[in-house]
Amino acid sequence: MTTATPVSLNEAVLHEALSGLTAKPQKTLSPWLFYDDRGSQLFEAITDLPEYYLTRTERALFATHADDILREFLSPGAPAGAPATQAFLSPDLFTIAELGAGSATKTGLLLAAATRLQPNLLYQPIDVSASALEAAENLAATIPGLRVQAQVANYVTEPYTLQHPPASNPGAPQPALSLPKGLASETWDPQDARTSNTPGLRSRVLALYIGSSIGNFAPDEATAILRRLRSHLQPGDALLLGADLAPSAHKPISTILAAYDDAAGVTAAFNLNILHRLNRDLDADFNLDAFAHRARWNPVDSRIEMHLESLIPQAVHISGHRIQFFEGETIHTENSYKFTGEALDTLLTRSGFTPTRTFHDPTRSFALTLAHTL
Ligand code: AVI
């Protein structure tokens, strides 16, 4: 596993804390600060909460559609229900990468389906939390044929790499493709991709950015993240984007709000952990009992906002700086954007992807969109 140096991470935390907490009129802290080891554990706990429908809905989509997703990646336009068989693959022709992989529990469903198609599959999870990535690495023990190459990196602020490793036997002639009837691709010819743009045969990348992590960034930042990801990809590669959907007749705002303000208080602990982190990493003196978790729906921007509200007038000290709070003043810690289908298409297109197919749950709460790099 490769790791970022703690010094640069601490500098980034300090920079983020000082710029955010001196911002006017609204104090902010960026959500990547949540994910130290404890924050990652709290987030894992959130994903098991009854109110937090996002994870189980996305997991159900993987359970139902893993083969459909792989077929659409490998052969865009193939009819639904056609089996994704090994007949249209030669060994080691694709690899799966994941931004913000965490412990990769949902991804396991897709990886298991992928290793049935292609033994010796390389999985490249990238995450800021080394402890979460250890769980992702353990997938290799439970999914036969899986190789895991993890990278510790904050994919927003730090460089990362995505490998297109050479296929197992790049020099050898590739077996002729025999596509099952109905699986022939009209939009992408694998034979062209094999012989174009790189000397020797390189594997195709399916990049996952799931869990609605994209929703934690403002539209411009989200576009920048996806464009950067796009710059690591080549023609024939694809992105699978998981996003939470906007309220609708089947999805009341109250359902969304409850997901961010659970009865057991796990989300509150997750939110407050950001202050705990600043105390630990920057020797700050936040009194965690003097702040409270708040979740609000912002209809104009179609997003949940999480805030930490100061319950009293108070001053906090961070690395020699004094930050004043009035009673009721908030630190805006997170946005969680909820997308319409149109907004997702616009985001993907702006970022250099062509959305080809979207998988929904029955109540259209959540979407997994496959988008190609044509
Ligand atoms: C990681 N991200 C998609 C979560 C979300 O739903 O926006 C973070 C989270 N914040 C509070 N609960 C979960």
Side-chain angles (χ1 to χ4, degrees), residues 35 43 46 52 54 211-213 216 260 267 270 306 334 336:
Y35 298 96
F43 178 64
I46 287 174
Y52 196 75
L54 289 79
S212 203
S213 300
N216 295 134
Y260 293 85
T267 309
F270 174 73
M306 291 210 317
E334 186 181 65
S336 202

Side-chain angles (χ1 to χ4, degrees), residues 245-265:
L245 297 180
S248 66
H250 301 291
K251 190 184 184 191
I253 292 167
S254 56
T255 301
I256 304 179
L257 262 176
Y260 293 85
D261 200 4
D262 62 281

Side-chain angles (χ1 to χ4, degrees), residues 311-327:
L311 299 175
I312 51 170
Q314 57 183 318
V316 174
H317 304 88
I318 302 177
S319 300
H321 297 259
R322 186 174 188 274
I323 314 281
Q324 189 70 41
F325 290 86
F326 58 81
E327 183 180 342

Side-chain angles (χ1 to χ4, degrees), residues 123-187:
Y123 172 49
Q124 307 177 58
I126 301 167
D127 200 274
V128 70
S129 164
S131 62
L133 278 179
E134 274 171 28
E137 286 182 314
N138 289 338
L139 284 173
T142 53
I143 303 177
L146 185 70
R147 285 181 295 137
V148 182
Q149 197 171 293
Q151 223 178 117
V152 180
N154 180 329
Y155 59 82
V156 183
T157 59
E158 293 171 339
Y160 62 88
T161 56
L162 288 189
Q163 288 195 27
H164 289 74
S168 57
N169 196 2
Q174 293 301 307
L177 292 180
S178 63
L179 290 167
K181 203 166 185 292
L183 277 189
S185 164
E186 284 167 17
T187 49

